[in-house]
Amino acid sequence: MLKENRSLDRGIEILETLAREGAMSLADLHRATGLPKSTIRRLLQTLIARKIVRRSLADQLYRTLLVFPDISTEVMPKGMLQVADAAIPRALALTKAIGWPSDIHIREARAMRIIDSTRQVSNFHVEQGQINRRVSHFGSATGLACLAALSDGEIAATYEALKSDLHWGPVRFGLDLPALMRRIEEVRARGYAERLPAHLSEREWDTDLRAIAVPIRAGAQVLGGLSVLWLRTYKSVPEFAELHLDALQQAAADINAGLDQVWDSPPA
């Protein structure tokens, strides 16, 4: 009994450390807790199996999915684990097939959030993605892909909710609602979205990359997006889409089919 209590106490210590410090490696947890690496590894395996901790593909760091009200630095969005579990195997298969990496995004109220990436396993050297980085609904490929999958009324509501937000809103991209809807119609006609070339007021992220994206859904609900990224010097957007859009759309369709089987809690 004492051994079981000690294991429980150590597991809670690991969770509290991850909640307080954010993403950590095994070595980071060892330094922070003083616990033997073998003990930490064993406890992490149990926590991952119970879906309390997740290890990201992109950076191999551990993150807790629990929220400690007085400790946690960030709250994981509802449904993130379900989207990641459904998307990662299909994104890996896509990267293996075409060589170029994918980012997996989840849709939130103010922005899109990167929850994982296959950049680390791509055949091509690209800048490593940053897990939990947020990108604009109106400027990112995944954001525009998600908007295009919504009804016109839902797009207008999103526009109105964010139009006064100078950081996440459409003003950064010089978009009024008619201009946004024209872009949305282009996305719908092509079957994919591309990122806007200009991110006003701050340095563009991944300046050497282009991206196209399609939405991820569970039934009629738009949950996020799957993008493919490539070096700007390789091909233009239309040329790349002609080569790889079918594979991207099939990967998203497979993700959607997987989510249809398990989805039970829409994001807040």
Side-chain angles (χ1 to χ4, degrees):
M1 183 64 68
L2 289 176
K3 183 177 181 180
E4 291 176 356
N5 288 340
R6 185 171 63 204
S7 294
L8 176 60
D9 185 69
R10 288 174 167 180
I12 292 172
E13 183 178 2
I14 288 172
L15 291 173
E16 288 178 337
T17 302
L18 289 172
R20 182 172 56 252
E21 303 296 335
M24 302 180 79
S25 66
L26 180 67
D28 294 334
L29 283 165
H30 170 64
R31 284 191 293 269
T33 65
L35 297 173
K37 288 185 179 180
S38 59
T39 298
I40 297 172
R41 189 179 290 110
R42 173 174 54 82
L43 290 170
L44 285 171
Q45 288 173 347
T46 300
L47 293 168
I48 289 171
R50 298 298 293 268
K51 300 188 182 300
I52 298 172
V53 167
R54 179 173 176 266
R55 191 181 192 188
S56 296
L57 174 68
D59 55 20
Q60 299 296 298
L61 299 181
Y62 298 95
R63 294 170 170 86
T64 179
L65 301 174
L66 294 183
V67 177
F68 291 75
D70 297 326
I71 298 176
S72 296
T73 57
E74 189 159 22
V75 177
M76 295 296 103
K78 290 182 180 179
M80 188 196 76
L81 186 60
Q82 290 166 303
V83 173
D85 284 349
I88 287 172
R90 280 84 173 190
L92 282 170
L94 176 62
T95 296
K96 182 177 180 181
I98 70 174
W100 295 101
S102 288
D103 284 348
I104 303 162
H105 295 223
I106 198 167
R107 180 172 171 255
E108 298 181 308
R110 302 188 73 78
M112 305 293 296
R113 186 204 293 233
I114 301 174
I115 61 171
D116 221 323
S117 174
T118 66
R119 298 187 192 205
Q120 190 174 13
V121 299
S122 170
N123 295 336
F124 301 101
H125 176 72
V126 300
E127 182 179 344
Q128 292 305 301
Q130 183 178 340
I131 300 300
N132 284 331
R133 184 183 181 97
R134 288 177 171 84
V135 295
S136 170
H137 288 304
F138 304 99
S140 68
T142 53
L144 288 166
C146 285
L147 287 174
L150 301 176
S151 69
D152 289 359
E154 290 171 316
I155 296 170
T158 301
Y159 181 93
E160 288 299 317
L162 295 174
K163 69 178 182 180
S164 62
D165 189 321
L166 297 182
H167 185 76
W168 295 117
V171 67
R172 286 183 56 201
F173 307 97
L175 293 172
D176 58 14
L177 185 55
L180 175 62
M181 293 309 301
R182 287 193 295 271
R183 184 165 293 276
I184 292 299
E185 289 306 318
E186 292 172 359
V187 172
R188 290 170 174 169
R190 290 193 306 251
Y192 67 87
E194 63 178 287
R195 71 190 330 181
L196 295 187
H199 279 239
L200 306 178
S201 80
E202 68 177 16
R203 187 182 73 85
E204 169 83 8
W205 183 54
D206 282 346
T207 52
D208 61 337
L209 299 180
R210 299 183 192 271
I212 60 172
V214 294
I216 293 172
R217 318 168 193 244
Q221 187 173 1
V222 181
L223 304 178
L226 180 69
S227 66
V228 176
L229 308 107
W230 71 97
L231 295 172
R232 297 180 67 87
T233 54
Y234 172 58
K235 289 197 181 290
S236 69
V237 170
E239 290 171 333
F240 188 91
E242 184 175 357
L243 287 174
H244 300 305
L245 177 59
D246 287 347
L248 173 60
Q249 290 175 328
Q250 184 58 57
D254 292 342
I255 293 168
N256 298 345
L259 283 167
D260 285 342
Q261 297 177 17
V262 301
W263 189 254
D264 58 12
S265 55

